[in-house]
Amino acid sequence: MYDLIIVNAWLIPLLPFVAFAVISLFFHRWPGISAGISIFSIAFSFLLATGIARVVFSQPGGAVYEFTTRWLDISGLQVDMGLLLDPLSALMLLVVTSIAALVQIYSLGYMKDDPGFASYYAYQSLFAASMLGLVIANNFGQMFVFWELVGICSYFLIGFWFGRDSAKNAAIKAFVTNRVGDFGFLLGILFLQILFGTLNFAGLAEALPGYANAAILIPVAILLFTGPMGKSAMFPLHVWLPDAMEGPTPVSALIHAATMVAAGVYLVARAFFIFSSVPEAMTVIAFVGGFTALFAATIALVQNDIKRILAYSTLSQLGYMMMAMGIGAMTAGMFHLTTHAFFKSLLFLGAGSVIHAMAGEQDIWKMGNLHKKMPVTTWTFIIGALALSGIPPLSGFWSKDEILLGAFASGHYGLYILGAFVAFLTAFYMFRLIFVAFFGKNQAGEKAHESPGVMTVPLIILAAAAVLVGFVNSPFMHHIFGTFISHPAGIQPHSSNMIMVSSALIALAGIAMAWLIYQKEAINHLVMRSKFKNIYELLLNKYYIDEIYERMGSILVYGGARVMYWIDIHIVNGFVDLTARLTGKSGDTLKYTEDGQVQSYAMYMAVGVLILIVLATMAAVSVIV
C-alpha cells in the first residue's frame, strides 16, 4: 500500500492540473460543476499528501524517495525530470494542499456571485498544481519551470478583476518585479550546470564539497538567492506584494500562506546545502531577511487597509524566515513557514469575511464593533492574531521562539534584538487592527452580518490548526529535519526559558500598548500622529520606495528614449542622408559620361582594358618575384 502511494505521488500536482484543463475546455459555462471539480481534485491531492507524509515520517529522521527519468537526450544536452519525496517536500505538500483546499471551500461563499466564478476555480487549480510541481521537483531545471508557472498564475489571480485599473497595474507590477529576481535565479542555475554538469539536487550535493573556488560560488549563490528575493518579496523586491491585495481576498490568503511567497523560502531550504557552504551568502540572506522583517513591520504600524496591514505583516514574517535561514536555522525557518501558513491564511480569510460583511469596505476606521455581529469571525481572527504575535501556547510562539533561539545560539545578538523588537511591533499593529475594527466605537459594524457557514467553517478549522500546529514543536522538527548549523539545543535551559519568557512578555507589551492607545484611549493617537507627523507620513507612504522606483523608471525609460531619439536622428538618419547625398552626387558626376558619342564609349573601353592589362601584369610580376 505504501509503495503504491509513493509511486503515484506524481498525481498530487497532476490532479489539479487536469482540473484546470477540464474546467477550461469543457465546464467553463457551469460554475458549480467547475468549483466541484477543482475542490475534489485538491482534496484528493491532500489525501495523497497525507499518505506520503505518513510513509516519509514513519522512519527516524524521515525517509527519502527519488524517481528520475530522462526527458530529453540530444547531443550535448540531457534533461531529466523526477520526483523527490523527503521530509521537506512531504511537509510542504501537506501545507499547500490543506490550505488550498480550505481556501477553495471558503471561496464558494466569497466568490458566489462573481461572473468569473468558473475561471477563478480554473486558475486556483493551476496555481495549486504549479506550487505542488515545484515542491516535488528533484532538480533546478524542473523547479524553474514550475517556478515560472507559479508566477504566471499569480499574474492571472492578482489581476482577476481586470476591469479595475488598480488590479491590472498590480498584476503587471508583480510580474515585472519577479522577472528581475528570476533573471538572476536563471543565471545561477546556468552557472551550476556549467560548473557541475548537473542540476539534480542530490548530484549537486555530492559534487559541491569537492569544489573549492569560493570566488565563483559566492556570486552563484547570490544569484540563486535573487529568485527567492523576488518570490518571497524581500527588500528591495518587496514592492509587488502589498499591491497584490487587489486580487480577491482568498487569493491573497493563498499567495501569502501556501504558494507564491512560500516558494522562495522553500527554495532556500531545498538548496540549503549550497547556501550553507558559502558563509558570505548566508550573511546576505540573514541581513536581507532581518532588514525586511523590521522594514515591513514599521510600515504596518500606520496602514489603514485591513488587507495591507496583513500584507506588510507577511513581508515581515517572511523576513523572519529568511533571517532564520541565514543564521543556519533551517529547521526553525521551515517550522515558522508551516505555522505561519495556517494563522496567516486564517487572518486573510477572516479579513475577507469582514470585507464581505461590510460590502467591500477595507478601511479599519470605517468598521467598529464587529464583534457584536460577527462573533465567529472575530474570535477566530483574534486567535490568528495571537498566534502571529507569538503568545503562548499558540503555534506562532513556538516557531518564532525557535528563530530567536537560533539567533541567540549562533551569536547573532543584533539579529536576536531585532527579532524581539519586530515581535513587539507585530503584536502592536495586529491588535491596533483588532481594537479599531472589531471593538472600536465606530458603529459602522452594526450593519455587518456573520458570513455563511461555508466561509466560517474553514475559519474554525484554521483557528484550531493555529493552536495545535505549534505542538508539533522544535524537538519533533529536529527529529524530522536533523539539526541545523547553530543548534539552539546548545543553549543552557535557563537561557532558553529566559528567551521564551521574555519574548512572550514583549508580545504582551505590544498588545498592552495597542490597548492603551486604541481601546482605553489613555494616549490620543491623533495627537501622537500630529506630533510625529513626518515619521507618520514616511511610514504611511512606505518610505516612498514606490515613488523612488517610479522616478527611476521614468528616468531610465524617458532618458533612454531621448538617447535613442538622438541616435536615430543624428546617427541613423545622418548615415542614411549621407548615403543618399553621396549617391546623388555620384549620379550628377557620372551623368556627363553619358554623352551619346561612340568615340567616347570606345575611349572608356580602351582605358578599362589598359587598366586590366596593367593590373594583370603587376599580379604576374608579384607571383614570379
Side-chain angles (χ1 to χ4, degrees):
M1 177 64 179
Y2 287 165
D3 291 341
L4 184 63
I5 293 173
I6 293 296
V7 169
N8 290 294
W10 56 275
L11 289 172
I12 295 177
L14 182 64
L15 287 171
F17 182 79
V18 170
F20 160 74
V22 169
I23 293 170
S24 301
L25 294 174
F26 304 111
F27 294 102
H28 196 264
R29 296 186 178 181
W30 290 276
I33 296 176
S34 298
I37 292 171
S38 181
I39 293 171
F40 174 80
S41 68
I42 195 64
F44 200 86
S45 293
F46 170 70
L47 292 176
L48 287 174
T50 303
I52 286 172
R54 185 176 179 183
V55 175
V56 170
F57 295 145
S58 64
Q59 298 184 23
V64 178
Y65 301 90
E66 184 172 4
F67 307 93
T68 301
T69 184
R70 183 59 49 86
W71 182 70
L72 179 65
D73 192 351
I74 60 177
S75 179
L77 179 63
Q78 292 81 37
V79 180
D80 292 335
M81 300 286 281
L83 282 72
L84 177 59
L85 303 174
D86 63 358
L88 189 59
S89 58
L91 177 67
M92 283 299 295
L93 289 175
L94 282 175
V95 170
V96 175
T97 54
S98 60
I99 300 297
L102 290 171
V103 166
Q104 290 194 25
I105 293 170
Y106 174 97
S107 298
L108 289 171
Y110 192 88
M111 301 294 292
K112 180 181 178 182
D113 299 320
D114 196 283
F117 191 82
S119 297
Y120 171 83
Y121 273 95
Y123 293 150
Q124 280 274 358
S125 291
L126 183 60
F127 205 3
S130 302
M131 185 64 189
L132 293 168
L134 183 154
V135 166
I136 63 174
N138 74 335
N139 63 81
F140 274 112
Q142 184 177 337
M143 176 180 273
F144 187 77
V145 172
F146 288 105
W147 183 273
E148 293 303 306
L149 279 174
V150 167
I152 195 64
C153 289
S154 69
Y155 173 81
F156 292 149
L157 286 167
I158 293 170
F160 183 74
W161 288 323
F162 53 84
R164 305 176 183 175
D165 288 339
S166 58
K168 290 187 292 188
N169 293 335
I172 294 170
K173 190 174 185 178
F175 188 79
V176 171
T177 304
N178 275 275
R179 297 292 69 73
V180 175
D182 291 355
F183 177 69
F185 180 36
L186 180 59
L187 288 178
I189 292 174
L190 294 175
F191 279 124
L192 287 177
Q193 176 66 41
I194 293 169
L195 293 175
F196 302 104
T198 181
L199 295 177
N200 180 271
F201 297 130
L204 288 170
E206 292 178 2
L208 192 64
Y211 192 84
N213 192 339
I216 298 296
L217 284 180
I218 292 172
V220 170
I222 299 298
L223 284 171
L224 289 175
F225 180 58
T226 58
M229 283 181 68
K231 277 289 189 290
S232 291
M234 294 291 100
F235 181 89
L237 300 180
H238 67 285
V239 291
W240 69 269
L241 190 56
D243 287 1
M245 299 302 96
E246 294 297 332
T249 303
V251 171
S252 302
L254 198 59
I255 288 176
H256 285 247
T259 51
M260 188 161 176
V261 299
V265 179
Y266 175 76
L267 187 146
V268 175
R270 174 57 71 200
F272 195 71
F273 63 93
I274 297 176
F275 295 114
S276 59
S277 66
V278 185
E280 294 82 359
M282 295 289 279
T283 300
V284 170
I285 294 171
F287 282 94
V288 167
F291 178 80
T292 302
L294 178 61
F295 173 82
T298 57
I299 296 175
L301 295 174
V302 301
Q303 297 302 306
N304 300 316
D305 184 309
I306 188 171
K307 288 175 67 176
R308 285 187 179 270
I309 295 171
L310 297 179
Y312 282 104
S313 169
T314 299
L315 279 175
S316 183
Q317 297 305 306
L318 290 167
Y320 247 117
M321 298 171 206
M322 285 298 186
M323 184 178 78
M325 297 292 177
I327 62 176
M330 189 271 280
T331 303
M334 286 303 299
F335 188 18
H336 197 54
L337 183 150
T338 303
T339 60
H340 177 266
F342 290 100
F343 59 68
K344 186 50 64 68
S345 57
L346 167 61
L347 290 169
F348 266 109
L349 295 184
S353 179
V354 170
I355 295 167
H356 181 266
M358 295 294 294
E361 182 58 64
Q362 295 183 197
D363 189 336
I364 60 174
W365 296 101
K366 296 180 180 178
M367 300 175 187
N369 270 324
L370 290 172
H371 73 285
K372 293 181 179 179
K373 298 292 185 178
M374 306 181 70
V376 175
T377 299
T378 298
W379 294 108
T380 53
F381 195 94
I382 289 173
I383 290 172
L386 289 170
L388 173 59
S389 301
I391 301 299
L394 282 79
S395 57
F397 167 75
W398 304 105
S399 57
K400 177 199 69 177
D401 270 30
E402 192 78 358
I403 294 173
L404 294 178
L405 283 168
F408 192 88
S410 60
H412 292 88
Y413 302 118
L415 291 176
Y416 166 74
I417 294 171
L418 182 149
F421 182 56
V422 169
F424 171 82
L425 296 179
T426 302
F428 177 82
Y429 65 66
M430 283 308 302
F431 278 84
R432 169 183 176 264
L433 186 163
I434 288 172
F435 290 134
V436 172
F438 291 92
F439 297 96
K441 294 180 180 180
N442 191 332
Q443 299 301 311
E446 296 291 338
K447 303 175 183 178
H449 56 83
E450 187 60 273
S451 297
V454 74
M455 295 172 66
T456 55
V457 169
L459 293 180
I460 294 170
I461 294 172
L462 287 168
V467 176
L468 300 175
V469 169
F471 292 100
V472 184
N473 56 23
S474 54
F476 179 73
M477 298 296 284
H478 293 162
H479 176 69
I480 292 174
F481 291 116
T483 59
F484 50 80
I485 294 173
S486 299
H487 200 310
I491 296 179
Q492 295 298 320
H494 65 84
S495 298
S496 176
N497 292 335
M498 178 193 70
I499 291 172
M500 292 174 67
V501 171
S502 62
S503 67
L505 291 176
I506 288 169
L508 289 171
I511 296 173
M513 181 66 76
W515 178 77
L516 283 172
I517 297 174
Y518 298 102
Q519 187 64 32
K520 187 175 176 59
E521 297 184 350
I523 303 172
N524 191 308
H525 69 92
L526 294 176
V527 173
M528 290 181 61
R529 182 187 302 180
S530 177
K531 187 175 181 180
F532 301 101
K533 182 179 179 181
N534 292 337
I535 296 176
Y536 175 81
E537 292 293 332
L538 181 67
L539 297 180
L540 187 64
N541 289 284
K542 304 160 287 185
Y543 294 96
Y544 298 99
I545 299 295
D546 289 85
E547 289 78 6
I548 292 171
Y549 283 179
E550 184 176 355
R551 182 61 177 165
M552 289 173 60
S554 297
I555 291 172
L556 291 174
V557 172
Y558 291 114
R562 290 190 183 97
V563 171
M564 296 307 295
Y565 175 80
W566 187 90
I567 292 173
D568 182 51
I569 296 299
H570 296 283
I571 297 180
V572 176
N573 284 0
F575 176 76
V576 173
D577 291 344
L578 176 62
T579 304
R581 285 196 295 270
L582 288 174
T583 303
K585 291 294 184 182
S586 299
D588 289 341
T589 301
L590 292 173
K591 70 181 180 181
Y592 295 109
T593 64
E594 300 293 329
D595 58 3
Q597 299 294 322
V598 176
Q599 297 91 329
S600 299
Y601 300 152
M603 182 184 68
Y604 299 151
M605 290 177 63
V607 171
V609 171
L610 180 61
I611 291 172
L612 288 174
I613 292 172
V614 171
L615 292 174
T617 303
M618 292 174 63
V621 170
S622 64
V623 170
I624 294 172
V625 173

